[in-house]
Amino acid sequence: MTPGRQGHAAMLAFSALVAGSFSLGALAANEIDPAVLNAVRFVLAALVIGVAALATTGLPRSAAQAPWRYIILGGVFAIYFVLMFEGLKTAPPVSAAAVFTLTPVLAAGFGWLLLRQITTRRMALALAIGAIGALWVIFRADLAALRAFEVGRGEAVYFVGCIAHAAYTPLVRKLNRGEPAVVFTFGTLVAGALLLTVYAAPDIIATDWSALPPIVWVTLIYVAIFASAATFVLVQFATLRLPSAKVMAYTYLTPSWVILWEIALGNPVPGALIFGGVAITILALLMLLRDGAEMQTEQKLRGTG
């Protein structure tokens, strides 16, 4: 398998694992406070990434400089995950996954504001098409609901979280001072764990851990190990083999994977019209993949010119 195909395989696995957090999260969201669940999730993920850092790059003292950077990033990431699970209390997993596909559009905006990154016309068109597909699913293919802008509370709450997620990516590039990605992620997770533990301390103490249903523990382990630590490794693996546009494009596969997760978990299949919106998001994926390939070819030509 070529490096490029390895990168694509990694991102396929990434999108499938991320999708699982929507389906499992919807089952557990009403069984435990979102801040409590994510406080434990951040602690577990930090332990896993910390071990990975010690086994690879180590944890140099220089990485502890300007710890306020980790507090900002950990806080932003914590906001995203808490609002995700808060939104999943009422939002269907497929709709929430569609909201997630709006993140690249938001990220492009934050990329310009924070880093003055310019989006190509083709990429902007692909992002717009992906947003249309996302709105199609969010409003459940109901034009009357779209005209009235009747957004469910869960989708609206999660959208605020996605704004935080979109800001996170350019903030990482802006605040990183040369630390290895695994070390920087460890600092972010530790800061997020501390912030959430302090914020949710009363609820953590009040939670009857022995009475929690099994789905909470399954979800907790899944989001900490597979949807956090494993996806981090997959993204790092893919970014070394694919242009950034191609890595970002796989966000648009999330609703499709969530539908498969829902079917596997025995939940009803979404209506036929919903698949139209999913198809539009896949079209955006293909456009972004093509744009990434053209960008890579252009960079090679410049390098040889």
Side-chain angles (χ1 to χ4, degrees), residues 87 90-92 95-96 99 137-138 140 151-160:
T90 55
S95 293
V99 174
V137 177
I138 292 167
R140 298 167 180 80
V151 184
R153 179 186 178 277
E155 288 89 342
V157 168
Y158 182 46
F159 178 71
V160 176

Side-chain angles (χ1 to χ4, degrees), residues 15-64:
S15 58
L17 290 174
V18 167
S21 63
F22 288 93
S23 294
L24 292 174
L27 296 174
N30 290 295
E31 304 293 341
I32 185 173
D33 181 84
V36 173
L37 184 144
N38 281 287
V40 180
R41 177 238 190 103
F42 268 65
V43 169
L44 293 177
L47 289 173
V48 173
I49 295 298
V51 171
L54 289 172
T56 54
T57 62
L59 294 172
R61 289 187 178 181
S62 59

Side-chain angles (χ1 to χ4, degrees), residues 5-180:
R5 289 184 177 180
Q6 291 175 354
H8 286 296
M11 288 311 297
L12 280 172
F14 164 84
S15 58
L17 290 174
V18 167
S21 63
F22 288 93
S23 294
L24 292 174
L27 296 174
N30 290 295
E31 304 293 341
I32 185 173
D33 181 84
V36 173
L37 184 144
N38 281 287
V40 180
R41 177 238 190 103
F42 268 65
V43 169
L44 293 177
L47 289 173
V48 173
I49 295 298
V51 171
L54 289 172
T56 54
T57 62
L59 294 172
R61 289 187 178 181
S62 59
Q65 295 178 355
W68 57 267
R69 298 176 296 154
Y70 302 114
I71 295 174
I72 291 175
L73 291 171
V76 169
F77 223 27
I79 289 171
Y80 166 72
F81 283 115
V82 170
L83 292 182
M84 174 186 178
F85 279 85
E86 186 65 36
L88 283 170
K89 288 183 177 181
T90 55
V94 176
S95 293
V99 174
F100 183 61
T101 63
L102 295 173
T103 304
V105 179
L106 299 170
F110 280 112
W112 183 83
L113 286 172
L114 297 173
L115 303 172
R116 289 298 185 263
Q117 292 178 336
I118 304 299
T119 302
T120 66
R121 290 183 178 180
R122 182 188 293 275
M123 188 176 294
L125 177 61
L127 293 174
I129 290 174
I132 291 171
L135 292 173
W136 182 288
V137 177
I138 292 167
F139 289 100
R140 298 167 180 80
D142 186 343
L143 292 178
L146 177 59
R147 285 193 295 267
F149 209 74
E150 296 174 357
V151 184
R153 179 186 178 277
E155 288 89 342
V157 168
Y158 182 46
F159 178 71
V160 176
C162 286
I163 294 175
H165 189 289
Y168 175 81
T169 303
L171 277 173
V172 167
R173 180 169 293 187
K174 191 173 184 67
L175 298 178
N176 185 277
R177 298 182 178 179
E179 296 90 354

Side-chain angles (χ1 to χ4, degrees), residues 84 131 160-161 223 244 269 271 274:
M84 174 186 178
V160 176
V223 297
S244 58
V269 179
I274 298 297

